[in-house]
Amino acid sequence: MTFFQILDSLLLQPLQLLFEVVYVNANRVIGNPGLSIIVLSLVMNFLVLPLYMRADALQEEERDMEARLHRGVTHIKKTFRGDEKMMILQTYYRQNHYKPTYVLRSAVSLFLEIPFFIAAYRFLSGLELIKGVSFGPIADLGAADGLIAIAGVHINLLPIIMTAVNLVSCIIFTKGATPKTKIQLYVMAVFFLFFLYTSPAGLVFYWTLNNIFSLIKTIFYKLKHPGRVLKILAAVAGAALLALGLVRYSFSERPVVKAALLLLGAALMLPLIVGLIRTKKPAAGKPAAKPNAKIFFGCAAFLALFIGGYIPASVISSSAQEFVNVQMYYSPIWFVINSLCLAIGTFVIWFGIFYWLASPKGKVAFEKVLWMLVGVAIVDFMFFGKYLGVLSSTLSFEGGMQFAPAELWGNLLAIAATAGVMYLVYRRWSKHVFKAAIAFVLAIAIMLPINIGSIHSQIKSIRQTMEESGGVPEYTMSKTGKNVIVLMLDRAVGAFLPYIFNEKPELQAQFDGFTAYTNVVSTGAFTNMGTPALMGGYEYTVDQINLRKDEKLVDKHNEALKMMPVLFDQNDFDVTVFDPIYANYQWVPDLSVFSDYPDIHRYITFGAFESDMSPKNWVSANMRNFFGYSLMKVCPVAAQSILYDNGNYNRSSVQTEEEENFVEQTITSPHTATGMDATFLKGYHALTNLPTITQTTKSGDNTFLFMTNDTTHSPVLLQEPDYSVAGTIDNTEYDKTHADRFTVDGKSITMEEDVQFAHYDPNVASLMQLGKWFDYMRENGVYDNTRIILVADHGRGLYLNWDRVIDNGPDTDFFFPLLMVKDFNAKGFSFSDTFMTTADVPTLATSGLIDNPTNPFTGNAINANAKYDRPFYAFMSYDWDTSKNNGNQFFPGTWYRVDNQNARDKRNWVMVGENTVLPDALR
């Protein structure tokens, strides 16, 4: 970030963000971009009305003072010269309690108007939502209006109307003002005419509405009791909104809209009600509290550091490498810095401007509100919304955002109690509030650098990984030798396989020679616990790893990760590794773990096939959305879904059909969605490019490829029936007419929720792309001489079949991964219910190729004997984060023994340990 970008984040982006949030929510409720501009204008004008009222009052004071001193100043300037004139003028000003800098008061309104105008201009001139949209006589809100056509020449009418309204307002407002003030305002009106003449109609329409509002405001000033009239009008508008909310919307269908209308209506009626109460019951003669700017800025500084700095840093530091794109390195620390700038701009600068222009009574109210916000923000972040699931690098929760009623009501009670306590503290110990605020600031100021330091330490190895990666990924297959491919599709769900091949029978021909196993079990429910056994065999199941309690988990993981590549390398295979999962326990695989084996080719394919714009768009979205995420986390739980906005955080930008513009996907139902998740595309494009990066040779060298891919790990909806990437997804009709595809041989799976379809679609798409790769192999004569093992490290608990859900326990589909095997020269496609585990993979890969294979690191034989010689244990734990679960043993969890070599019958799952690091029999 440059100096000017930081300045922009401090001053203008907070305003632009406010414009965007107001407009997006208005458009969501109304569904009309033109009417939403009207709502935006009303909201923004009412919001800044106190600012402009105070600014106008200062301007009026300056005009009155200037008129009162005019005669004396004129006399001094005519009578005296040089230094004598300056000294007498200074004395005259001092005697009248006037400073020359007070002349700036007359420009306060202008200084306020400029940043708001720039923010509105930047937002509305580039707003995709209004492009091509008509509104009344305006054909396109995204272009100049051209409403008048004379002899083929189009004249833009809106700028002329805007200027006319502006001039009328100037005439009324400057009545009795000095010529200098009049000229200033008239010049500004003409400037806006020329500057906005060719601007989009939506922008000019917005500014015209602002000028109309300004004219009405000016007329109000001429009334005898403008404040009272304004309260009455606000109360009438509030009553109308209350009636609309009560009559038109229900809590069951549109809870957010109904609540918003009721709250807004009540808020508009409140000033009149309070005024009437105060009229009937005059306040006692207690002296008014004096404002204390230290309290305000202490609280503002805390909110800025906490919301803008600490929360984003804590999210990123939990898994910093997730927020780094290997193909276009950009430090995620800049996400924190930008969020911090936005927070400082919001809470310190703009709130500070409101505070500075407020009356003494208003300043005291500001201090109380900010002090209570400090307490509420801490409580909301620390104690609520803690179980929302996995957060992606695009700041979207995998399972969406849902809260139980108990948490909603509990949060409201906690907020009320916290606000009450903070208010009492302010009332009774106001002298100590500033000290408490400073203590909070210091605490955050200490924790924030620690988190930033953690981020830096986690990402410093990525530069080395970029150097270690051998450039553009490539894999060479032999036409005459033997090829072995082990491809791990992270979180591919084995339970989907029969239904995918039922829907797509043509896949059977592409997967000729494959056996799909339907009685498979993994040793862990998440990647850090499931992959070691897959890569290293039965001596790396969770129980066996935890028995080696004197060694680090990361060392045991690396050992398992290297076992097959090193073994095949030692047996003269040409070895290639793509994306070795969690290498060195790094989210971005640390390829240096293979540094001792120079003959092993290693690459990062994840994100390697993006356009240059894709990572830039992702960075741009996160630069904005981290502040939105932080605001969401400190808001009441009832409002968090509004700010979260299905992971969009009220972004107004429209994701076009061009993939390079995709950042995240918003799933609106189990069958519809907009946009596409950039993380999904990073893995998906690696699969689509497999034919491109695969070369063939007539050399007799044997080859081995170990690859992991995250396509199936990124839940998204794809456009059916092709399961293709699209900016707008609508599978409503297809899912309705093909609902029977989820029934095979009388056995059905439940497919009703969006999370179920969002997992199913990437599984189908992955197999379809792999089918194309296999076709490429056939065309190039390397399919029959290739052994292919497709496997997942674990499945996913999607509650597809409640018969597989353990009573008072997990869905066993967590442990039901994909496993498909094709041997050399195999023919036909079949399903098998033979009992298999992911730990069988090394045995399957080496069978018949390496005599008496042994683990090159432990010397132990590689075989499947342990499947029959000892119980097979499945370990259930949600501690998947390797930045935390990285000691010598996995954190305690729940253990299940799988009996009778039948993992699909939940009666065979016997709990044999709870909250332990080992099953009971091994302790």
Side-chain angles (χ1 to χ4, degrees):
M1 291 180 68
T2 65
F3 170 76
F4 291 105
Q5 288 175 322
I6 292 174
L7 198 63
D8 179 51
S9 296
L10 288 170
L11 298 177
L12 297 177
Q13 285 191 31
L15 297 180
Q16 189 169 340
L17 186 62
L18 178 62
F19 274 90
E20 193 169 25
V21 171
V22 172
Y23 181 85
V24 168
N25 280 283
N27 194 49
R28 185 181 298 122
V29 175
I30 300 172
N32 185 301
L35 291 177
S36 298
I37 293 177
I38 298 176
V39 174
L40 175 66
S41 177
L42 289 173
V43 171
M44 296 304 299
N45 276 287
F46 274 109
L47 189 64
V48 301
L49 182 59
L51 280 181
Y52 282 118
M53 290 178 66
R54 181 59 180 157
D56 291 343
L58 290 174
Q59 193 170 348
E60 189 70 28
E61 290 175 13
E62 169 59 22
R63 284 207 302 263
D64 292 344
M65 179 66 74
E66 188 178 347
R68 185 162 60 85
L69 300 181
H70 178 71
R71 184 174 179 181
V73 170
T74 303
H75 173 72
I76 292 171
K77 288 181 177 180
K78 285 182 178 180
T79 307
F80 302 98
R81 294 288 182 272
D83 293 341
E84 186 180 20
K85 179 180 72 173
M86 293 300 299
M87 292 177 63
I88 294 176
L89 268 177
Q90 290 176 0
T91 303
Y92 183 65
Y93 287 149
R94 187 168 60 252
Q95 289 174 342
N96 288 275
H97 308 289
Y98 180 78
K99 297 179 182 178
T101 54
Y102 284 178
V103 71
L104 295 175
R105 290 176 171 178
S106 62
V108 170
S109 293
L110 179 62
F111 290 152
L112 287 174
E113 191 169 352
I114 288 174
F116 276 91
F117 170 75
I118 295 174
Y121 182 86
R122 282 167 43 169
F123 172 63
L124 289 170
S125 61
L127 183 61
E128 296 285 342
L129 291 173
I130 64 174
K131 292 181 178 179
V133 176
S134 62
F135 183 68
I138 304 171
D140 184 359
L141 287 170
D145 63 88
L147 286 173
I148 299 176
I150 301 176
V153 178
H154 288 273
I155 299 174
N156 299 326
L157 182 60
L158 274 178
I160 298 172
I161 296 174
M162 175 194 71
T163 305
V165 173
N166 206 358
L167 290 173
V168 172
S169 181
C170 290
I171 293 171
I172 297 174
F173 183 74
T174 59
K175 187 177 181 181
T178 61
K180 182 180 71 174
T181 302
K182 293 181 179 180
I183 291 173
Q184 180 187 35
L185 293 177
Y186 293 151
V187 168
M188 283 298 297
V190 175
F191 166 79
F192 278 115
L193 171 63
F194 286 100
F195 186 77
L196 295 178
Y197 184 76
T198 58
S199 295
L203 172 63
V204 183
F205 180 50
Y206 170 81
W207 212 250
T208 302
L209 293 172
N210 277 12
N211 288 340
I212 293 173
F213 188 91
S214 178
L215 176 60
I216 295 173
K217 179 186 68 174
T218 303
I219 295 172
F220 257 100
Y221 284 164
K222 304 300 180 181
L223 298 177
K224 191 173 183 181
H225 300 289
R228 189 179 302 170
V229 175
L230 185 61
K231 289 178 181 178
I232 293 173
L233 291 176
V236 172
L241 290 176
L242 280 174
L244 181 64
L246 290 170
V247 175
R248 184 168 180 179
Y249 298 103
S250 67
F251 273 116
S252 60
E253 296 177 355
R254 303 287 295 275
V256 174
V257 175
K258 187 178 183 73
L261 289 173
L262 295 179
L263 288 173
L264 183 58
L268 289 173
M269 296 179 69
L270 191 60
L272 180 62
I273 296 172
V274 172
L276 292 174
I277 293 174
R278 288 181 175 176
T279 301
K280 293 179 180 180
K281 297 181 179 180
K286 184 179 178 179
K290 295 182 179 179
N292 185 345
K294 291 181 179 179
I295 294 177
F296 171 83
F297 284 105
C299 294
F302 170 79
L303 290 172
L305 286 172
F306 183 62
I307 296 174
Y310 176 74
I311 295 178
S314 65
V315 170
I316 296 173
S317 65
S318 66
S319 185
Q321 294 192 357
E322 286 189 63
F323 297 94
V324 176
N325 188 297
V326 178
Q327 309 307 324
M328 189 196 81
Y329 182 83
Y330 189 87
S331 173
I333 293 174
W334 286 113
F335 296 149
V336 180
I337 293 174
N338 189 72
S339 176
L340 183 59
C341 289
L342 284 168
I344 292 173
T346 300
F347 296 109
V348 178
I349 296 177
W350 282 106
F351 276 30
I353 291 173
F354 273 81
Y355 179 81
W356 174 63
L357 290 174
S359 64
K361 188 177 179 181
K363 289 179 179 178
V364 172
F366 254 113
E367 293 163 12
K368 292 178 182 177
V369 170
L370 250 66
W371 172 244
M372 289 188 287
L373 283 179
V374 166
V376 170
I378 294 173
V379 169
D380 279 339
F381 177 72
M382 296 296 293
F383 302 106
F384 295 93
K386 308 298 290 184
Y387 305 103
L388 294 174
V390 178
L391 184 70
S392 74
S393 62
T394 58
L395 299 178
S396 57
F397 292 102
E398 182 181 295
M401 177 174 284
Q402 296 177 342
F403 296 101
E407 187 168 8
L408 289 169
W409 287 109
N411 177 251
L412 290 175
L413 290 174
I415 289 174
T418 303
V421 169
M422 299 294 282
Y423 180 77
L424 288 176
V425 169
Y426 185 94
R427 287 290 300 271
R428 294 194 177 187
W429 300 286
S430 59
K431 293 182 180 179
H432 302 289
V433 167
F434 172 68
K435 297 177 183 177
I438 291 300
F440 289 151
V441 169
L442 291 176
I444 294 298
I446 293 171
M447 291 187 287
L448 179 57
I450 294 174
N451 282 337
I452 290 178
S454 173
I455 295 170
H456 177 72
S457 65
Q458 290 182 55
I459 65 175
K460 64 183 180 182
S461 64
I462 292 182
R463 289 286 192 183
Q464 183 178 356
T465 295
M466 296 171 68
E467 295 172 0
E468 287 277 346
S469 183
V472 179
E474 61 178 2
Y475 167 52
T476 301
M477 300 182 70
S478 172
K479 291 187 176 183
T480 56
K482 298 289 187 181
N483 305 299
V484 179
I485 297 173
V486 177
L487 199 165
M488 188 191 102
L489 291 168
D490 197 343
R491 201 202 285 177
V493 180
F496 284 143
L497 277 180
Y499 306 94
I500 294 174
F501 280 89
N502 178 52
E503 179 183 356
K504 299 291 182 182
E506 63 273 17
L507 287 176
Q508 294 191 21
Q510 292 179 305
F511 282 73
D512 183 37
F514 273 90
T515 298
Y517 291 94
T518 57
N519 185 18
V520 188
V521 63
S522 64
T523 185
F526 291 91
T527 300
N528 59 327
M529 294 162 275
T531 51
L534 181 156
M535 300 179 295
Y538 283 94
E539 59 181 308
Y540 297 98
T541 57
V542 177
D543 54 303
Q544 296 301 305
I545 283 180
N546 277 358
L547 283 171
R548 294 165 60 179
K549 60 183 179 181
D550 295 327
E551 303 170 63
K552 287 286 188 182
L553 285 173
V554 61
D555 294 333
K556 289 176 279 191
H557 180 91
N558 288 342
E559 184 180 291
L561 180 67
K562 293 185 291 183
M563 199 279 289
M564 281 194 289
V566 171
L567 177 62
F568 277 95
D569 180 50
Q570 292 176 344
N571 284 272
D572 299 324
F573 279 69
D574 184 18
V575 177
T576 302
V577 177
F578 289 163
D579 307 277
I581 190 72
Y582 278 168
N584 241 358
Y585 264 15
Q586 301 295 309
W587 182 266
V588 177
D590 183 357
L591 300 180
S592 66
V593 298
F594 291 100
S595 295
D596 293 335
Y597 309 96
D599 292 336
I600 296 179
H601 316 291
R602 56 262 194 196
Y603 303 92
I604 299 294
T605 66
F606 185 74
F609 304 97
E610 294 180 284
S611 69
D612 291 338
M613 283 303 298
S614 295
K616 291 179 181 178
N617 289 330
W618 172 76
V619 167
S620 176
N622 274 359
M623 291 288 276
R624 171 200 182 276
N625 288 352
F626 261 107
F627 182 58
Y629 172 86
S630 299
L631 282 176
M632 180 268 294
K633 290 296 291 180
V634 301
C635 277
V637 168
Q640 288 190 13
S641 61
I642 299 175
L643 291 177
Y644 176 66
D645 185 28
N646 293 313
N648 280 324
Y649 297 95
N650 295 289
R651 288 177 71 225
S652 61
S653 59
V654 176
Q655 298 185 62
T656 66
E657 295 295 327
E658 298 176 2
E659 288 190 13
E660 64 181 20
N661 294 316
F662 292 143
V663 176
E664 73 277 314
Q665 183 178 76
T666 300
I667 298 177
T668 51
S669 79
H671 318 289
T672 57
T674 57
M676 184 53 60
D677 184 64
T679 303
F680 167 81
L681 292 175
K682 292 177 184 179
Y684 181 67
H685 285 157
L687 293 184
T688 61
N689 280 276
L690 282 174
T692 303
I693 64 179
T694 302
Q695 310 299 320
T696 59
T697 179
K698 293 183 179 180
S699 167
D701 293 339
N702 298 324
T703 74
F704 174 76
L705 170 67
F706 179 77
M707 174 182 182
T708 63
N709 183 269
D710 273 358
T711 302
T712 47
H713 195 276
S714 302
V716 294
L717 293 186
L718 299 170
Q719 186 57 54
E720 301 165 356
D722 298 327
Y723 292 89
S724 57
V725 173
T728 302
I729 304 294
D730 188 354
N731 296 325
T732 306
E733 189 61 30
Y734 183 85
D735 287 338
K736 181 180 179 181
T737 56
H738 294 81
D740 58 347
R741 70 191 194 270
F742 298 120
T743 299
V744 176
D745 297 331
K747 298 179 180 179
S748 301
I749 56 174
T750 301
M751 294 291 290
E752 298 174 348
E753 305 294 332
D754 51 16
V755 68
Q756 294 168 331
F757 281 98
H759 277 82
Y760 179 81
D761 287 10
N763 274 261
V764 180
S766 296
L767 294 184
M768 292 176 68
Q769 292 305 320
L770 290 174
K772 294 178 181 179
W773 189 32
F774 300 155
D775 287 341
Y776 168 86
M777 293 181 189
R778 290 187 185 88
E779 293 168 2
N780 288 273
V782 292
Y783 185 74
D784 288 337
N785 64 321
T786 300
R787 173 182 289 165
I788 304 172
I789 302 171
L790 306 178
V791 63
D793 50 343
H794 57 87
R796 191 64 170 171
L798 300 171
Y799 301 95
L800 303 173
N801 187 336
W802 282 90
D803 289 338
R804 294 199 294 264
V805 178
I806 299 173
D807 298 336
N808 300 316
D811 183 351
T812 59
D813 282 356
F814 266 116
F815 304 90
F816 189 180
L818 164 83
L819 179 60
M820 301 178 68
V821 181
K822 185 198 83 70
D823 210 345
F824 303 113
N825 300 306
K827 299 296 179 181
F829 176 85
S830 63
F831 285 98
S832 172
D833 62 0
T834 301
F835 180 63
M836 301 292 287
T837 83
T838 52
D840 288 325
V841 169
T843 302
L844 293 169
T846 58
S847 177
L849 296 177
I850 301 175
D851 295 332
N852 301 315
T854 58
N855 186 325
F857 303 102
T858 67
N860 294 325
I862 298 172
N863 54 53
N865 293 344
K867 180 166 61 174
Y868 310 101
D869 295 343
R870 67 173 188 245
F872 185 87
Y873 296 110
F875 182 64
M876 187 67 207
S877 168
Y878 291 93
D879 292 311
W880 53 267
D881 189 347
T882 57
S883 67
K884 299 174 183 176
N885 195 356
N886 57 13
N888 288 5
Q889 295 176 305
F890 290 113
F891 289 157
T894 303
W895 293 88
Y896 293 91
R897 187 184 69 239
V898 182
D899 291 342
N900 302 319
Q901 295 191 355
N902 183 357
R904 299 287 69 83
D905 188 341
K906 69 179 181 180
R907 292 173 296 182
N908 293 324
W909 289 69
V910 181
M911 189 172 73
V912 292
E914 189 172 14
N915 197 30
T916 62
V917 296
L918 287 168
D920 294 340
L922 298 179
R923 286 194 288 154

